[in-house]
């Protein structure tokens, strides 16, 4: 109910302006019915403007520039309503329509919307103002249109007051999906966010990143600019320039803005892709200038002009370059084409726009389609025709069929059909012949929930009021006669965000677009990355090679990817990471072969010495060398040689654990045995009682060797249990992984070596004290040399081992082990072998006793002189029969020497008489 009685008489608003036209004169087409559906279509391109370019009085101006697409959309609406009335969709109910030409102008569209809002079925068109329009019955129940988003936005604000459903067939601005601001607006096409996303995807897949953007300076253009800009940022596409052209042709600045746009295009020479969100009427002017300046680019067409016959029929239009367009997905429009073939004036109750079309055709001479379209489109006489004298004129139905655009026709049919289904749902339990059967807002609720099948497709509106039918992606192709054909090569699925191709040929056509170059900078190849400065666009850059161990495997990456793990590497400027080569001291390595030959030579020498000693086991030299003790030493050196084999080949867990421990234990046995020999030698040739007594305590062969070796075994076992060596991958080299054995604990490894060194040092001290033994039996001197070789080798090993890196690090350990083994082998056994083989005359018992006797006599004399000089000057007591005389000391020396000579048989001192050594019977000495 009305809160207050204020009303406006619409007739007065128009007729009171000294205008010769009445309100009904603005109706483009009308048909009465039980339920009236309003229609708003842009059949003309602009309003006639005053000399100053803008209105001087509040009078509605006449329109110029007949646009065939708007006119065909009106015919599609009337045809669909006629089909519904002739069907059983809404039985007993006839739909009527009242259609207005908005002339692409917001003001005229709002004037028509005011008539839609006026009260139904009154003599005067009155618009009542109420606080609640729930029970209000306006002239129309729903509105279809407008063609352009800017007009639809303005109309939607008016229709919101009564929540009259507005279903657009081509207004795609995303802002109209905002249900808070436009709750009564719906559309049978996707909104522009899907179109801009599809365009961005096409540009990205084609490898373009430097493009231009031209939009209309209105709500639709600004919305498209914002949406496309956001999509471009996501895919790293840069917009080199953005130009806005006034949306109204009547604007006096249109020409200057087009000239500025042309200048910008000429300046940006690297831009070959231009996206245009413009009306066909604006593009008509732009393309004429483009052809004049011989500009050839690739144009990305929005749905507003992608299938425009007015543009495609411009003579030589192919000279502008390639046109790739997006159009709403269409369906079967065969019935509409049949309708056009039989179209006549008698089909309409009233259709002034059809009459005007006939008038324009009569005023233009007979021409080809492209010339006729230009004549009709550029016609500048007043559009309103008040008489019916042109009703019998020819309609050139062939021309109508040639200019029909299936996408817009199909979306218009969907809009009418959706409204019809919503009305049917409401009229199932209502008498809809009564104008008050339902209010527009009730129809809106029914329309939001409508779900129907049309031409095999399920149609419904989503929560934003959009019917996401998808897009056809097409390309303009000229035939032999120069006629442009719209060839669809892909479909864009708005839900899955993918392009679908009907055939492989179509997909190849899509890939062919990549040959078009539109980039600020050349594409960075795989192996390079983009480097931009802060003052530049992100698309303007230089290509920099990726550093070592980094790569790029696709073009135009903004950063280089580091090789995924340490097992791969890449050179500079690489597009892939390569597996690192695994290296270790291989069996077939030349250096390893040499070391193995030296090792096997050592083993051969050990076997040869063992056989030689076995053959001469009972000779003094072999006995003096320790007898069976020699075989223990030789066997331990053999194990030490064998341990070097575990340093060669691919490291495995067993090798890592065995090689150091085998060497440590075996070489400990060697040094312990040599220490035992050093003690025995020193024991044999030492005449100092205190030292002699200490040496006798130390000389416990089995105990000494077992104790020394046992300690090393404990050290190695602890090492293996708690800090066991393991296989290690060394990634320090850029292209190689070195497989090596990590000691597990450097401290444990050091303790093993230090322990051997301590034993060797003690051995060295004992051997050094016995360095002045008999010339032919100076084993202590050779032991000293052997220990010196060992110390030199291992002292040299420490810095070399610490600084050596790579696969030959195990070779350093092998070398020092070989030097140690050969040092012991050479100094301990080779002199004995030389005597056995080449000095057999000295390898007899008699020769050996003679050497002992000579050495003992010399030692006894030295000892006597020493004792005489240090004793009291008084004579010895003649009563002491056991007084220490030189002769007695000499006898003791012989006893110790003889004891030392046997090495395995202790000779009691009692076997040597206390007489002077020179009085010793030769037979007795011989037995010793």
């Amino acid at each position: 109910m009305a809160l207050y009685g204020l009303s406006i008489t619409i007739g007065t608003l128009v007729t009171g302006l000294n205008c010769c036209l009445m309100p009904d004169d603005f109706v483009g087409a009308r048909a009465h019915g039980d339920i009236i559906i309003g229609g708003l279509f842009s059949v003309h391109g602009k309003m006639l403007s005053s000399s100053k370019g803008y209105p001087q009085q509040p009078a509605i101006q006449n329109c110029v520039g007949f646009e065939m697409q708007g006119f065909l959309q009106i015919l599609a609406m009337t045809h669909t309503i006629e089909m519904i009335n002739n069907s059983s969709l809404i039985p007993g109910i006839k739909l009527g329509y009242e259609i207005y030409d908005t002339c692409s102008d917001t003001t005229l569209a709002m004037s028509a919307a005011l008539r839609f809002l006026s009260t139904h079925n009154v003599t005067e068109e009155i618009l009542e103002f109420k606080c609640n329009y729930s029970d209000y019955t306006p002239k129309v129940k729903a509105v279809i249109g407008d063609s352009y988003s800017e007009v639809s936005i303005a109309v939607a604000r008016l229709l919101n007051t009564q929540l009259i459903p507005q279903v657009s067939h081509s207004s795609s601005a995303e802002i109209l999906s905002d249900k808070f601001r436009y709750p009564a607006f719906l559309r049978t096409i996707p909104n522009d966010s899907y179109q801009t996303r599809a365009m961005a995807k096409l540009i990205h897949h084609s490898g373009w990143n430097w493009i231009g953007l031209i939009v209309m300076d209105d709500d639709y253009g600004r919305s498209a600019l914002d949406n496309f800009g956001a999509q471009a940022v996501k895919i790293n596409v840069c917009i080199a320039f953005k130009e806005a052209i006034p949306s109204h042709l009547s604007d006096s600045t249109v020409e200057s803005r087009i000239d500025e746009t042309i200048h910008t295009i000429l300046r940006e020479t690297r831009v070959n892709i231009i996206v245009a969100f413009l009306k066909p009427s604006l593009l008509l002017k732009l393309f004429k200038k483009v052809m004049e300046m011989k500009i050839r680019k690739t144009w990305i067409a929005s749905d507003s002009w992608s299938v425009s016959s007015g543009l495609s029929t411009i003579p030589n239009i192919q000279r502008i370059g390639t046109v790739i367009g997006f159009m709403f997905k269409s369906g079967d429009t065969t019935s509409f084409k049949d309708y056009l073939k039989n179209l006549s004036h008698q089909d309409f109750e009233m259709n002034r726009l059809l009459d005007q079309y006939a008038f324009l055709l009569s005023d233009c001479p007979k021409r080809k389609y492209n010339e006729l379209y230009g004549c009709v489109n550029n016609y500048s006489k007043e559009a309103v025709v008040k008489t019916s004298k042109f009703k019998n004129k020819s309609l050139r139905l062939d021309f109508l069929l040639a200019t029909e655009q299936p996408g817009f026709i199909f979306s218009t049919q969907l809009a009418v059909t959706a409204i019809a289904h919503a009305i049917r749902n409401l009229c199932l339990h209502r008498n809809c012949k009564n104008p008050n059967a339902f209010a527009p807002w009730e129809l809106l609720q029914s329309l939001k929930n409508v779900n129907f099948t049309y031409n095999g497709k399920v149609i419904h509106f989503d929560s934003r009021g959009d019917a996401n039918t998808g897009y056809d992606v097409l390309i303009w192709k000229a035939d032999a006669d120069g006629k442009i054909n719209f060839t669809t090569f892909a479909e864009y699925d708005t839900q899955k965000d993918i392009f679908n191709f009907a055939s492989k040929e179509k997909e190849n056509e899509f890939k062919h677009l990549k040959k078009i170059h539109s980039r600020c900078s050349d594409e960075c190849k795989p192996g390079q990355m983009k480097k931009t400065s802060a003052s530049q666009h992100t698309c303007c850059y230089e290509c920099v090679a990726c550093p070592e161990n980094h790569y790029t495997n696709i073009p135009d990456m903004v950063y280089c990817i580091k090789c995924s793990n340490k097992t791969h590497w890449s050179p500079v400027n690489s597009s892939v990471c390569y597996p690192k080569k695994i290296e270790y001291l291989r069996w077939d390595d030349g250096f390893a072969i040499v070391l193995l030959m030296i090792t096997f030579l050592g083993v051969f020498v050990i076997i040869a010495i063992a056989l030689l000693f076995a053959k001469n086991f009972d000779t003094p030299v072999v006995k003096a060398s320790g007898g069976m003790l020699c075989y223990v030493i030789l066997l331990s050196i053999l194990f030490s040689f064998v341990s070097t084999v575990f340093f060669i080949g691919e490291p495995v867990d067993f090798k890592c654990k065995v090689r150091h421990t085998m060497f440590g234990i075996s070489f400990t046995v060697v040094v312990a045995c040599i220490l035992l020999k050093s003690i025995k030698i020193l024991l044999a040739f030492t005449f100092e009682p205190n030292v002699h007594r200490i040496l006798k305590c130390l000389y416990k062969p089995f105990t000494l060797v077992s104790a020394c070796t046992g300690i090393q075994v404990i050290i190695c076992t602890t090492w293996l249990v708690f800090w066991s060596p393991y296989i290690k991958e060394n990634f320090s080299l850029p292209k190689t992984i070195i497989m090596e054995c990590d000691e597990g604990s450097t401290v444990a490894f050091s303790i093993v070596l230090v322990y051997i060194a301590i034993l060797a040092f003690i051995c060295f001290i004992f051997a050094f004290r016995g360095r002045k033994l008999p010339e032919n039996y100076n084993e202590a001197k050779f032991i000293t040399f052997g220990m010196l070789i060992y110390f030199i080798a291992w002292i040299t090993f420490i810095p070399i081992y610490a600084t050596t890196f790579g696969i030959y690090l195990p070779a350093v350990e092998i070398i020092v082990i070989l030097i140690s083994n050969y040092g012991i082998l050479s100094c301990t056994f080779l002199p004995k072998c030389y005597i056995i083989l080449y000095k057999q005359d000295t390898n007899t018992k008699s020769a050996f006793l003679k050497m002992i006797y000579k050495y003992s006599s010399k030692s006894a004399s030295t000892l006597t002189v020493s004792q005489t000089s240090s004793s009291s000057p008084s004579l010895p007591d003649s009563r002491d029969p056991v007084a220490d005389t030189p002769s007695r000391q000499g006898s003791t020396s012989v006893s110790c020497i003889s004891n030392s000579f046997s090495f395995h048989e202790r000779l009691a001192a009692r076997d040597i008489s206390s007489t002077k050594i020179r009085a010793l019977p030769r037979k007795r000495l011989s037995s010793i």
Side-chain angles (χ1 to χ4, degrees):
M1 72 186 277
L3 184 64
Y4 42 86
L6 180 62
S7 65
I8 297 177
T9 302
I10 304 297
T12 305
L13 181 65
V14 177
T15 58
L17 301 174
N18 295 323
C19 179
C20 61
L21 298 177
M22 295 299 292
D24 278 350
D25 292 333
F26 289 94
V27 179
R30 176 185 287 159
H32 289 87
D34 300 317
I35 299 173
I36 304 299
I37 300 175
L40 298 173
F41 296 90
S42 298
V43 182
H44 289 82
K46 67 176 181 178
M47 303 280 290
L48 282 175
S49 59
S50 65
S51 58
K52 292 187 178 181
Y54 55 87
Q56 300 293 308
Q57 293 181 344
I60 297 176
Q61 307 296 321
N62 287 325
C63 309
V64 294
F66 195 86
E67 293 189 352
M68 289 299 301
Q69 293 312 312
F71 174 61
L72 286 168
Q73 290 161 24
I74 288 178
L75 294 179
M77 177 178 172
T78 59
H79 166 248
T80 307
I81 290 176
E82 182 180 321
M83 288 182 63
I84 293 170
N85 288 336
N86 294 331
S87 71
S88 59
L89 182 62
I90 315 176
I93 303 299
K94 180 182 179 182
L95 298 181
Y97 55 81
E98 187 169 306
I99 300 173
Y100 291 84
D101 173 18
T102 64
C103 298
S104 307
D105 183 77
T106 303
T107 303
L108 189 55
M110 292 181 70
S111 298
L114 286 173
R115 297 201 73 189
F116 290 153
L117 295 172
S118 63
T119 306
H120 173 72
N121 201 21
V122 293
T123 55
E124 291 187 350
E125 293 178 309
I126 298 174
L127 174 60
E128 297 183 9
F129 287 86
K130 296 184 177 184
C131 65
N132 189 339
Y133 283 97
S134 298
D135 299 326
Y136 182 76
T137 305
K139 179 180 289 189
V140 298
K141 297 293 186 179
V143 176
I144 293 176
D146 181 77
S147 303
Y148 296 115
S149 295
E150 184 185 32
V151 177
S152 292
I153 290 171
V155 171
R157 294 186 183 277
L158 275 178
L159 299 181
N160 283 348
T161 58
Q162 297 182 20
L163 288 182
I164 298 177
Q166 178 186 359
V167 185
S168 177
H169 58 287
S170 63
S171 296
S172 56
E174 187 184 14
I175 191 174
L176 289 166
S177 295
D178 185 349
K179 296 298 102 179
F180 182 77
R181 286 186 283 182
Y182 307 100
F185 182 86
L186 301 98
R187 51 188 158 198
T188 55
I189 58 172
N191 69 56
D192 267 341
S193 64
Y194 296 105
Q195 181 177 213
T196 54
R197 187 172 69 181
M199 287 180 174
K201 195 175 187 70
L202 171 69
I203 291 169
H204 179 64
H205 282 193
S206 301
W208 308 322
N209 71 354
W210 193 238
I211 64 170
L213 183 61
I214 306 174
V215 300
M216 291 187 294
D217 190 10
D218 62 1
D219 290 334
Y220 169 73
R222 285 186 288 272
S223 175
L225 177 63
D226 293 340
N227 281 332
F228 186 81
Q231 296 292 342
V233 170
K234 292 179 182 179
I235 58 173
N236 294 322
V237 170
C238 298
I239 301 175
F241 62 84
K242 303 173 184 177
E243 294 292 335
I245 298 175
S247 60
H248 301 290
L249 289 175
S250 53
D251 193 314
S252 60
T253 63
V254 168
E255 294 293 337
S256 61
R257 291 296 301 139
I258 289 177
D259 290 338
E260 290 178 15
T261 301
I262 294 294
H263 178 72
T264 302
I265 295 173
L266 291 172
R267 185 180 69 248
E268 295 290 345
T269 57
R270 297 183 70 90
V271 174
N272 290 314
I273 304 297
I274 299 176
V275 180
F277 290 89
L278 297 172
K279 295 177 181 178
S281 55
L282 291 174
L283 278 163
L284 186 65
K285 293 180 176 292
L286 178 66
F287 282 164
K288 287 182 178 180
K289 293 285 182 72
V290 167
M291 288 189 288
E292 287 177 11
M293 301 303 297
K294 297 181 179 180
I295 297 172
R296 190 176 182 85
K297 302 290 183 181
T298 296
W299 302 84
I300 308 297
S302 68
D303 52 61
S304 61
W305 66 275
S306 60
V307 291
S308 170
S309 300
L311 296 176
S312 63
T313 55
I314 297 175
N316 300 316
I317 187 62
Q318 61 269 25
R319 294 192 312 188
I320 67 171
T322 303
V323 176
I324 303 167
F326 288 82
M327 188 58 201
F328 316 125
K329 197 163 182 55
S330 63
D332 184 12
T333 58
T334 304
S335 63
F336 179 69
K337 291 178 181 178
D338 294 338
Y339 172 75
L340 292 180
K341 291 177 182 178
N342 302 301
L343 186 67
S344 69
H345 294 279
Q346 287 72 30
D347 295 335
F348 300 94
E349 180 180 320
M350 187 271 283
N351 193 333
R352 289 194 179 96
L353 295 170
L354 181 63
D355 297 340
Q356 184 181 352
Y357 167 70
F359 167 73
L360 295 177
L361 289 179
S362 66
D363 206 43
C364 291
K366 293 185 178 181
R367 301 180 183 183
K368 295 180 180 179
Y369 289 151
N370 58 342
E371 295 174 348
L372 182 60
Y373 193 97
C375 177
V376 172
N377 186 261
N378 293 324
Y379 193 79
S380 59
K381 291 184 179 181
E382 292 186 1
V384 176
V385 180
K386 295 190 292 182
T387 66
S388 59
K389 61 181 179 179
F390 301 106
K391 285 189 176 182
N392 296 321
K393 293 290 184 180
S394 172
L395 297 177
R396 289 289 302 269
L397 301 180
D398 56 340
F399 178 60
L400 286 176
L401 289 169
T403 56
E404 181 251 352
Q405 297 176 358
F408 287 120
I409 299 303
F410 184 73
S411 61
T412 304
Q413 291 176 330
L414 281 182
V416 176
T417 306
I419 292 173
H421 276 272
I423 292 174
R424 185 194 67 171
N425 293 337
L426 288 175
C427 294
L428 290 176
H429 306 289
R430 305 186 191 192
N431 179 19
C432 288
K433 283 188 173 291
N434 181 0
N436 300 320
F438 62 88
W441 64 269
E442 292 179 285
L443 178 61
L444 175 63
Q445 298 304 318
S446 178
L447 194 58
K448 288 180 179 179
N449 298 318
V450 76
N451 192 314
F452 63 96
T453 301
Y454 189 80
N455 282 351
K457 297 180 181 179
V458 177
I459 306 298
H460 69 278
F461 298 100
D462 62 19
S463 60
R464 304 176 72 187
D466 303 330
N468 292 320
T469 54
Y471 290 92
D472 287 328
V473 187
L474 50 91
I475 189 168
W476 288 15
K477 287 186 176 181
D479 57 19
D481 298 329
K483 180 184 177 182
I484 297 297
N485 297 311
F486 306 124
T487 305
T488 300
F489 67 89
E491 296 178 358
Y492 177 72
D493 190 325
T494 58
Q495 304 303 315
K496 298 180 180 179
D497 188 27
I498 57 173
F499 290 104
N500 297 315
F501 302 94
S503 64
K504 192 70 177 178
E505 181 183 355
K506 298 294 185 181
E507 187 174 1
N508 292 334
E509 192 171 358
F510 180 74
K511 293 179 180 178
H512 184 73
L513 298 175
K514 293 184 178 181
K515 295 182 179 180
I516 302 171
H517 187 272
S518 185
R519 305 178 65 88
C520 180
S521 301
D522 291 333
E523 182 181 78
C524 288
K525 299 177 181 179
Q528 299 176 326
M529 68 173 182
K530 298 190 294 187
K531 182 180 180 181
T532 59
S533 62
S535 60
Q536 288 181 310
H537 279 281
T538 57
C539 301
C540 301
Y541 50 81
E542 59 178 325
C543 297
V544 180
C546 288
E548 192 174 16
N549 291 326
H550 292 73
Y551 73 100
T552 54
N553 54 3
I554 58 176
D556 272 350
M557 289 192 67
V558 296
Y559 62 91
C560 294
I561 305 171
K562 190 173 183 180
C563 290
S564 58
N565 52 55
K566 296 180 180 180
T567 60
H568 289 72
W569 75 282
S570 65
V572 175
N573 198 25
S574 177
S575 60
V576 66
C577 284
Y578 303 97
K580 289 186 177 181
K581 185 179 180 181
I582 297 176
E583 290 286 356
Y584 48 84
L585 188 59
R586 300 179 183 273
W587 293 102
D588 57 354
D589 188 277
F591 195 25
I593 292 173
V594 172
L595 295 175
L596 285 172
M597 291 175 64
I598 296 172
T599 298
F600 292 141
L601 177 62
V603 173
F604 174 77
V605 170
I606 289 173
I607 295 172
I609 292 173
L611 294 174
L612 183 63
F613 273 43
K615 185 178 180 181
N616 299 275
F617 187 77
D618 294 328
T619 60
V621 170
V622 176
K623 288 186 176 182
S625 298
M628 291 302 296
L629 190 64
C630 295
Y631 293 101
V632 176
I633 296 175
L634 288 173
L635 183 62
S636 298
I637 295 176
L638 176 65
F639 279 116
S640 183
F641 272 119
V642 171
S643 70
T644 61
V645 177
F646 295 103
F647 287 86
I648 301 174
E650 183 178 359
V652 295
D653 191 60
F654 175 75
K655 285 184 179 181
C656 294
K657 293 179 179 179
V658 166
R659 62 185 192 176
H660 284 122
T661 53
M662 178 180 282
F663 166 72
I665 294 173
S666 61
F667 206 78
T668 299
V669 174
V670 172
V671 176
C673 291
I674 294 175
L675 176 60
L676 180 63
K677 290 180 67 174
S678 301
I679 293 174
K680 291 163 69 175
I681 294 169
L682 197 60
L683 178 63
F685 294 97
T686 297
F687 304 113
E688 298 179 10
N690 293 333
V691 175
H692 195 272
R693 191 164 45 252
I694 295 172
L695 293 175
K696 286 179 68 176
C697 294
L698 290 174
Y699 182 65
K700 308 292 183 184
F702 179 79
T703 304
L704 181 64
V705 174
S706 298
C708 293
T709 306
I711 293 173
Q712 185 68 290
V713 169
I714 292 172
I715 294 172
C716 291
T717 302
T718 305
W719 180 17
L720 291 177
V721 171
F722 295 103
W723 304 283
S724 178
Y726 58 90
I727 303 170
K728 175 185 176 183
E729 293 179 336
N730 193 322
F731 300 102
S732 301
L733 294 179
K735 304 178 184 180
T736 305
I737 299 175
I738 300 175
M739 300 294 293
E740 58 187 16
C741 290
D742 191 283
E743 288 80 7
S745 172
T746 305
V747 174
F749 178 53
S750 301
I751 291 173
V752 170
L753 297 181
V754 169
Y755 178 70
I756 298 174
I758 291 171
L759 292 180
F761 182 73
I762 296 171
C763 186
F764 173 78
I765 296 299
F766 284 145
F768 183 77
R769 288 180 61 87
R771 67 189 182 282
K772 295 182 179 180
L773 294 178
E775 183 177 355
N776 292 333
Y777 185 68
N778 198 352
E779 189 172 14
K781 181 168 62 177
F782 292 113
I783 291 174
T784 303
F785 289 153
M787 293 300 105
L788 282 175
I789 292 172
Y790 167 80
F791 282 124
I792 292 171
W794 284 94
I795 289 173
T796 307
F797 162 78
I798 293 173
I800 295 176
Y801 185 82
T803 56
T804 302
F805 179 80
I807 63 173
Y808 292 110
L809 184 61
V812 175
E813 297 184 71
I814 294 174
I815 291 171
V816 74
I817 291 173
L818 291 177
I819 292 174
S820 301
N821 291 344
Y822 273 105
I824 299 298
L825 202 59
S826 300
C827 295
T828 303
F829 293 99
L830 291 187
K832 308 298 186 297
C833 294
Y834 176 77
I835 293 173
I836 293 171
L837 295 174
Y838 299 106
K839 289 191 175 183
Q840 297 181 4
D841 55 330
T842 62
N843 191 20
T844 61
K845 195 171 185 179
S846 59
F848 197 71
L849 286 174
K850 184 178 179 181
M851 176 269 295
I852 295 174
Y853 179 82
K854 183 177 179 181
Y855 178 77
S856 299
S857 299
K858 183 177 179 180
S859 299
S861 300
T862 303
L863 184 59
T864 302
V865 173
S866 175
Q867 287 183 347
T868 303
S869 61
S870 60
S871 63
S872 173
S874 58
L875 296 172
D877 190 353
S878 58
R879 293 174 294 178
D880 188 1
V882 292
D884 289 334
T885 62
S887 297
R888 190 175 182 87
Q889 293 290 339
S891 300
T892 305
S893 298
V894 173
S895 175
C896 292
I897 294 168
S898 299
N899 201 19
S900 176
F901 165 67
S902 67
F903 287 96
H904 298 287
E905 303 173 3
R906 299 188 58 86
L907 298 177
R910 63 180 182 273
D911 293 335
I912 305 298
S913 65
S914 59
T915 59
K916 294 181 179 180
I917 194 168
R918 60 178 178 274
L920 192 67
R922 183 165 298 276
K923 183 177 180 180
R924 177 66 172 165
L925 187 60
S926 177
S927 65
I928 296 173

